[in-house]
Amino acid sequence: MPVIDHLLLDVHGITLSLYSAGPADGRPLWLLHGFPECWHSWRQQIEPLACAGYRVLIPEMRGYGLSSAPSEPEAYDLVTLCGDIQAAMDVLGHTEVGVISHDWGAGMAWYLAMLEPQRVKTLVTMSVPFGGRPKRPAIDIMREVNAGRFNYIVYFQEPGDAEAKLEADVARSLRLLLGGQGEVFLQDKPAGARLLDGLPEPQDLPAWCTAEDFAIYVRTFARGFRGPLNWYRNFARTWQRTEALAGQTILQPTLFLLGERDPVGKLETYTLKRMGERVPRLEQHVLEGCGHWIQNERPAEVNALLSDFLDRHYPA
């Protein structure tokens, strides 16, 4: 494993915790994590990318780990979150970058690519597809579609209860959330239920996560879940702040990866079918038998696809 450096950057009104590896003069590759993950969720990609000659940069996103975690939900809309990374790129002098992303990191990366069409030269997103800015806030649609039954995103909207339940036993919560292939987010139960209600007690860690790895996840969330959950509380605010991006396409060469058993694929069937209209330079791969935690469940396949794509569109 190459040497991993750590910086605390004062940018965009917050402190951003940033891990990096690889040659200082290598082409920058920003790796953006999702929920409930952390910078260490890219551990299987750091060495091959750094050894290929890239400067790998992995922020702890706003709300996570050692980065600032404002308590106000409105501090987490996607334009603000993109601003954190844009400001960090400015401080580091990055005029050309590649972006690799997963889950909420991917949701953010789509907008970063639109906001920075000159600086973001190539884009890799995993698990969360792009269908363009919706005609109305997505949370309004989710509430209508899931009226009368539980939906985890709708449940996360009200601050207080979700973070209290998750923080009551951080290790147990993470075992439940990270276990399996992400099925915990597709539970069929009444609207008044909570995320962890009715789940069996967690046993072993998933095969892709050692005890040492898991300890880093636990330390990340020991500071609390409110910041990470606030990302879910900004669908309306993001929609309002992105009016100028309505109808815009993703112009960069883009690689999209999805696990065959990822529950997001079931929730976003329509978006997946239409994504090529919004992302004309799109390459897609579905990894058979793979769940949501794609870069950890199938690191060899993911790394091979990354290497091929980057060699063609963003060579080191």
Side-chain angles (χ1 to χ4, degrees), residues 10-53:
D10 291 325
V11 293
H12 203 215
I14 67 162
T15 296
L16 186 73
S17 171
L18 180 67
Y19 292 86
S20 57
D25 59 352
R27 296 192 83 181
L29 269 180
W30 285 78
L31 278 58
L32 310 180
H33 70 77
F35 174 86
E37 297 177 287
C38 60
W39 75 273
H40 193 62
S41 63
W42 295 109
R43 60 193 175 276
Q44 304 279 14
Q45 285 69 51
I46 295 172
E47 183 170 7
L49 291 173
C51 290

Side-chain angles (χ1 to χ4, degrees), residues 152-308:
Y152 75 99
I153 294 178
V154 174
Y155 168 62
F156 285 162
Q157 294 308 298
E158 188 64 33
D161 186 72
E163 41 265 69
K165 295 297 184 294
L166 291 168
E167 290 166 7
D169 187 335
V170 171
R172 176 180 182 271
S173 296
L174 288 173
R175 282 178 180 267
L176 288 168
L177 294 173
L178 296 173
Q181 296 176 314
E183 302 92 336
V184 65
F185 298 105
L186 282 183
Q187 298 171 75
D188 185 12
K189 51 191 179 184
R194 297 183 173 98
L195 180 65
L196 304 182
D197 288 354
L199 295 177
E201 283 301 308
Q203 301 299 319
D204 297 332
L205 292 170
W208 51 264
C209 188
T210 69
E212 292 76 18
D213 296 327
F214 187 67
I216 297 176
Y217 285 76
V218 172
R219 285 201 299 272
T220 297
F221 287 92
R223 293 187 62 204
F225 278 82
R226 182 160 192 177
L229 292 181
N230 278 339
W231 285 56
Y232 289 90
R233 294 165 179 157
N234 278 276
F235 286 97
R237 184 174 171 82
T238 293
W239 186 81
Q240 292 165 357
R241 297 198 66 193
T242 56
E243 183 177 3
L245 301 178
Q248 188 166 323
T249 57
I250 303 295
L251 302 176
Q252 296 88 339
T254 301
L255 174 66
F256 178 72
L257 305 180
L258 179 70
E260 179 191 23
R261 297 183 180 178
D262 189 333
V264 176
K266 298 177 182 178
L267 295 172
E268 298 286 356
T269 302
Y270 178 79
T271 302
L272 288 166
K273 290 180 179 178
R274 300 288 300 274
M275 187 161 53
E277 299 174 11
R278 296 293 184 185
V279 192
R281 301 178 70 183
L282 177 68
E283 300 177 27
Q284 300 186 67
H285 294 271
V286 176
L287 278 62
E288 293 185 9
C290 183
H292 183 67
W293 318 110
I294 186 168
Q295 74 268 36
N296 290 304
E297 291 183 48
R298 298 292 179 81
E301 290 178 64
V302 168
N303 292 345
L305 290 166
L306 290 177
S307 177
D308 173 69

